[in-house]
Amino acid sequence: MAALQKRGRHSGVVVLFILLGTLWEARARTIRYSVPEELDKGSFVGNIANDLGLEPRELAERGARIVSRGRTQLFALNPRSGSLVTADRIDREELCAQTAPCLVSFNILIEDKLNLYPVEVEIVDINDNTPRFFREELEVKILENAVPSSRFPLMEVYDLDVGMNSLQGFKLSGNSHFSVDVRSEANRPKYPELVLERALDREGEAIYHLVLTAMDGGDPIRSGTAQILVIVLDVNDNAPVFTQPVYHVNVPENLPVGTPVLSVNATDQDEGVHAEITYSFLRVTEKISKIFCLNVSTGEISTSANLDYEDSSFYELDVEARDRPGLLDRAKVLITILDVNDNVPEVVVTSGSRSVAESTPPGTVIALFQVYDRDSGLNGLVTCSISRSLPFELEKSVDNYYQLLTSTVLDREQVSLYNITITATDKGIPPLSTETLIYLNVEDINDNPPAFPQSSYSVYIPENNPRGASIFSVTAHDPDSRENARVTYSLSEDTLQGASLSSYVSVNSDTGILYALHSFDYEQFRDLQLRVTAHDSGDPPLSSNVSLSIFILDQNDNTPEILYPAPPTDGSTGVELAPRSAEPGYLVTKVVAVDRDSGQNAWLSYRLLKASEPGLFAVGLHTGEVRTARALLDRDALKQSLVVAVQDHGQPPLSATVTLTYSHEVSLTADSRKSHVIFPQPNYADTLISQESCGKSEPLLIQEDSGFSKEEDSLVQVRLFL
């Protein structure tokens, strides 16, 4: 009842300590509180919202939560009041045993900023445990010849409380022969000893019944009692004596089960049954009895279970050596367990993002994780690393926490998914390591315009193409994704011969296929200059242009046009004069023709298809010149007609013809001896002939005999009427 009253008084007292300190390289503020043990669930610990500089409602809004590892959660956040409260009753003795002070450390994580604030709560002891003896009754045998001031060990007493609430002293029931004394050793259990004040006489009194009381220093004081039965023995001059009062031994935690740890040894100067010694543990807890065993005859201590440094790093055993009559000695065995690097580091990702935009600036926190190794010393010292080829870096935070940050600007078009392997390695020999994989998607932003493979394109299209035919296709690639990569196409609004280009050519906005809206005519225009624009569907959209030159290819769709001789328009006649003595090859006239096509389609050839007087005239194949093939003769017909064909070199070839018709009269005068050849007005024909007719043109007919006598020197006048 006294303990409950005291607990009630303490439950209303909460002492708040807030200290500012430096944790590793990060300047972090450690919030410290103090609270007595055994408070009811939900008891106030401290105003955490105020100490974090937040309003109570901000705790929930900003995702504040407690993160800790390795133990049951002892505290909770009250979002309405902004207070830190107990999550359940806290038993300091169960939590920290004899360790003082009893500190509970954890972190407050503010989720929206990924900030950590270390918190430390001291659990203050209350006097809720009574001193207890390991045995409620003890039999002590003392030789009757024991000298005053002799000391006899009693059973151990323990109190789970600490400080003034722990064991402070002993009291022995009134007896003039005995007193009780305690030898205090720092950080060691208190062993009361029975002190002989006056010499004993077994014949006078062989048995003494004593009551030993152990008291703590709490308020109120708690106490426990044990019955001591003192039996006075007949003389056995020597008790067993250990070779040393304290035995020390260090053993690794991976010692195989059944391996001897050490041997204790006691000697007795007596002989016979008085010198027969047996060994035993003075006090054996259930835990120790499962781990160590003692050979009662040899004093050898060996393991009976696996050792685990992480469970307990130190054991203190009390060993007793007793002879047959009952005399005894005691020694301490201190066993230190050496840590072995048998635990791999653990990585616990506390918070993090699954994806990040590629526009994220360097230094952005991607994930927060904690590393933990149950080993100690170098075996428990862990370093974390990631591949240096990745655009990320690690930064150490508080309490073995690390932040994963971006070190450069990310580019989704180069890498869209990162598999980040975090390697945690301890410094043990050999070192142990573990790997944790974090997947991170890089989200696209519209940072790439559509791009054409070429800066310009040239397209060649034969004229007379069908309307609506596809003439070319352009494709632009956008390395972005989804809407940012969806490309549409359009044409620039330019004009050609006063008309919009869109009336000549159109483009499919989705496919980039260009279509001819007209049948192109090479003779009308020979090229079109376009600009195609590719737009993506991002926000804002990006675009790029490419120039497109469409060249019209000529087809042989125009017949040669004869310019000369031209049909007369005023009734006049052309007159060509040729001397009577003109030699063969004399130029009579020339057929001049053009073709509106180009290239080979405009190359022209001239042929004499038909002549009324074969062999009289010849036509130049490439020049169109009509020349005499021989001299004119009197016997030549008065009327002559020539059919000249003009043919291009296209496929298929096209041609036109012209017909020259003439007549002549010869008159001789005595004085002049001139002959006059008079040509009436001829007929004119311009006829389109087929490829077949051109191919069957008659060969030129040339007569070697001119028909004129060599003596005649008269001139021949030739009149050509066209």
Side-chain angles (χ1 to χ4, degrees):
M1 180 61 73
L4 292 175
Q5 292 175 350
K6 186 174 182 180
R7 184 182 307 165
R9 291 196 299 272
H10 280 287
S11 63
V13 180
V14 177
V15 181
L16 168 64
F17 299 91
I18 302 177
L19 300 176
L20 297 176
T22 303
L23 296 178
W24 292 278
E25 300 176 0
R27 299 184 61 86
R29 183 168 62 94
T30 301
I31 303 173
R32 292 193 172 97
Y33 301 102
S34 178
V35 63
E37 64 174 331
E38 300 296 337
L39 288 179
D40 292 334
K41 178 180 179 181
S43 297
F44 176 84
V45 176
N47 192 337
I48 192 66
N50 182 65
D51 296 333
L52 292 177
L54 303 173
E55 294 295 328
R57 59 180 174 78
E58 290 184 282
L59 289 179
E61 293 174 354
R62 298 183 62 180
R65 60 186 175 92
I66 295 175
V67 291
S68 62
R69 195 184 186 289
R71 65 173 71 235
T72 304
Q73 188 60 255
L74 301 177
F75 302 95
L77 294 175
N78 187 326
R80 291 183 299 176
S81 64
S83 303
L84 181 69
V85 298
T86 58
D88 206 342
R89 284 183 176 272
I90 302 175
D91 186 351
R92 191 205 65 81
E93 288 73 30
E94 180 182 352
L95 188 64
C96 297
Q98 299 302 111
T99 303
C102 180
L103 301 177
V104 177
S105 299
F106 54 92
N107 295 284
I108 300 295
L109 172 64
I110 304 302
E111 186 73 29
D112 63 341
K113 297 295 184 180
L114 294 180
N115 291 334
L116 286 170
Y117 297 90
V119 178
E120 191 176 83
V121 179
E122 180 183 2
I123 310 301
V124 179
D125 181 58
I126 65 173
N127 193 22
D128 58 341
N129 290 283
T130 300
R132 294 182 181 276
F133 292 90
F134 272 93
R135 295 167 59 184
E136 295 181 356
E137 295 180 357
L138 178 64
E139 183 178 282
V140 180
K141 296 179 179 181
I142 304 175
L143 292 174
E144 62 176 347
N145 61 347
V147 297
S149 300
S150 297
R151 306 173 76 93
F152 305 94
L154 302 176
M155 76 285 281
E156 182 189 355
V157 64
Y158 66 95
D159 191 337
L160 296 179
D161 294 323
V162 295
M164 289 301 296
N165 294 330
S166 66
L167 180 64
Q168 298 298 317
F170 298 88
K171 182 176 67 174
L172 190 65
S173 60
N175 187 287
S176 60
H177 285 84
F178 303 96
S179 65
V180 65
D181 191 24
V182 177
R183 290 181 180 177
S184 298
E185 295 180 27
N187 300 323
R188 292 284 185 264
K190 295 182 178 181
Y191 289 94
E193 294 180 322
L194 191 65
V195 181
L196 183 61
E197 298 291 341
R198 294 170 52 193
L200 298 175
D201 183 4
R202 190 189 66 82
E203 290 71 27
E205 187 173 1
I207 297 177
Y208 295 88
H209 294 276
L210 306 176
V211 177
L212 179 62
T213 302
M215 299 167 291
D216 63 19
D219 183 17
I221 296 174
R222 289 174 174 265
S223 62
T225 60
Q227 303 295 323
I228 308 298
L229 178 63
V230 179
I231 299 175
V232 182
L233 300 176
D234 202 11
V235 175
N236 178 21
D237 295 333
N238 296 286
V241 177
F242 280 101
T243 55
Q244 59 189 75
V246 180
Y247 293 85
H248 295 272
V249 65
N250 298 331
V251 295
E253 63 175 320
N254 60 350
L255 200 67
V257 176
T259 301
V261 175
L262 84 161
S263 293
V264 295
N265 185 41
T267 60
D268 195 318
Q269 299 300 320
D270 294 326
E271 293 181 350
V273 295
H274 290 167
E276 294 179 1
I277 300 173
T278 58
Y279 301 91
S280 63
F281 286 129
L282 179 61
R283 58 185 179 90
V284 179
T285 63
E286 182 180 359
K287 180 178 181 180
I288 292 177
S289 66
K290 291 180 179 180
I291 297 176
F292 299 102
C293 60
L294 173 63
N295 189 307
V296 296
S297 301
T298 64
E300 182 184 79
I301 300 175
S302 58
T303 59
S304 55
N306 289 316
L307 302 177
D308 189 355
Y309 172 87
E310 288 71 40
D311 182 48
S312 180
S313 61
F314 178 80
Y315 293 95
E316 180 179 325
L317 309 178
D318 288 323
V319 181
E320 183 178 82
R322 184 184 294 267
D323 60 19
R324 288 286 294 274
L327 297 181
L328 57 88
D329 191 17
R330 290 175 180 168
K332 287 187 180 295
V333 177
L334 306 180
I335 302 176
T336 300
I337 309 302
L338 302 178
D339 183 41
V340 174
N341 194 22
D342 58 346
N343 290 282
V344 296
E346 299 178 40
V347 177
V348 179
V349 179
T350 304
S351 184
S353 302
R354 297 282 182 172
S355 60
V356 62
E358 61 179 319
S359 60
T360 299
T364 300
V365 178
I366 302 301
L368 181 69
F369 61 91
Q370 185 184 32
V371 294
Y372 178 76
D373 195 315
R374 297 181 62 222
D375 294 321
S376 64
L378 292 178
N379 296 332
L381 187 59
V382 181
T383 58
C384 290
S385 63
I386 59 175
S387 173
R388 293 186 178 181
S389 63
L390 296 175
F392 303 97
E393 61 185 4
L394 295 177
E395 185 175 292
K396 193 170 184 180
S397 184
V398 299
D399 198 15
N400 289 329
Y401 276 89
Y402 284 83
Q403 291 178 330
L404 177 64
L405 309 95
T406 57
S407 59
T408 61
V409 176
L410 305 179
D411 188 350
R412 189 206 65 84
E413 287 68 49
Q414 292 185 4
V415 181
S416 61
L417 174 65
Y418 286 97
N419 297 328
I420 307 169
T421 300
I422 299 173
T423 302
T425 306
D426 62 29
K427 294 186 178 297
I429 300 176
L432 299 178
S433 64
T434 186
E435 292 183 346
T436 299
L437 191 61
I438 294 179
Y439 296 95
L440 182 66
N441 288 305
V442 182
E443 294 182 346
D444 183 50
I445 64 170
N446 194 25
D447 58 344
N448 290 283
F452 291 95
Q454 300 176 206
S455 60
S456 62
Y457 294 91
S458 296
V459 184
Y460 296 88
I461 305 171
E463 65 175 329
N464 303 318
N465 57 285
R467 295 179 59 184
S470 62
I471 57 176
F472 193 62
S473 175
V474 294
T475 301
H477 176 69
D478 195 318
D480 294 323
S481 66
R482 295 189 294 273
E483 289 300 310
N484 296 332
R486 191 169 67 85
V487 179
T488 57
Y489 303 89
S490 63
L491 293 176
S492 59
E493 291 296 330
D494 294 332
T495 59
L496 176 66
Q497 297 181 357
S500 173
L501 284 179
S502 60
S503 64
Y504 292 93
V505 179
S506 67
V507 63
N508 187 303
S509 61
D510 295 323
T511 64
I513 298 176
L514 284 89
Y515 297 92
L517 302 180
H518 282 278
S519 179
F520 298 131
D521 187 355
Y522 175 85
E523 288 71 40
Q524 183 181 6
F525 56 83
R526 300 186 177 186
D527 64 86
L528 291 86
Q529 301 299 323
L530 307 176
R531 189 170 69 254
V532 181
T533 302
H535 304 263
D536 62 27
S537 301
D539 186 16
L542 301 177
S543 64
S544 61
N545 300 319
V546 66
S547 60
L548 178 64
S549 299
I550 301 178
F551 296 98
I552 311 303
L553 299 179
D554 182 49
Q555 288 187 316
N556 195 23
D557 60 343
N558 287 281
T559 303
E561 180 181 353
I562 298 175
L563 302 180
Y564 184 84
T569 58
D570 57 356
S572 62
T573 62
V575 178
E576 294 291 344
L577 298 178
R580 169 71 177 76
S581 60
E583 296 294 327
Y586 178 80
L587 177 63
V588 177
T589 188
K590 181 176 181 179
V591 178
V592 179
V594 296
D595 196 310
R596 294 178 60 199
D597 294 322
S598 65
Q600 184 173 312
N601 295 330
W603 296 352
L604 301 179
S605 297
Y606 300 84
R607 293 183 182 181
L608 182 60
L609 290 184
K610 183 185 292 187
S612 60
E613 188 76 27
L616 182 58
F617 298 98
V619 178
L621 178 64
H622 300 297
T623 63
E625 295 176 346
V626 180
R627 295 179 181 272
T628 59
R630 61 177 174 78
L632 296 176
L633 302 177
D634 291 337
R635 58 183 174 83
D636 290 331
L638 294 179
K639 297 186 67 175
Q640 297 283 343
S641 65
L642 304 176
V643 178
V644 178
V646 183
Q647 179 178 297
D648 61 29
H649 288 220
Q651 291 297 329
L654 299 178
S655 63
T657 62
V658 60
T659 301
L660 305 176
T661 303
Y662 64 91
S663 63
H664 68 274
E665 295 178 356
V666 179
S667 60
L668 298 177
T669 60
D671 54 350
S672 64
R673 301 182 66 185
K674 296 180 180 179
S675 297
H676 298 275
V677 181
I678 303 173
F679 294 90
Q681 183 172 339
N683 296 328
Y684 174 85
D686 186 357
T687 306
L688 176 65
I689 62 174
S690 67
Q691 180 180 5
E692 290 77 5
S693 64
C694 290
K696 298 178 181 179
S697 60
E698 298 178 358
L700 293 176
L701 301 178
I702 302 176
Q703 289 182 314
E704 296 182 358
D705 187 4
S706 63
F708 291 95
S709 65
K710 295 182 180 179
E711 292 80 8
E712 292 177 335
D713 57 356
S714 60
L715 297 175
V716 178
Q717 290 185 343
V718 180
R719 296 179 181 178
L720 297 179
F721 298 90
L722 305 179

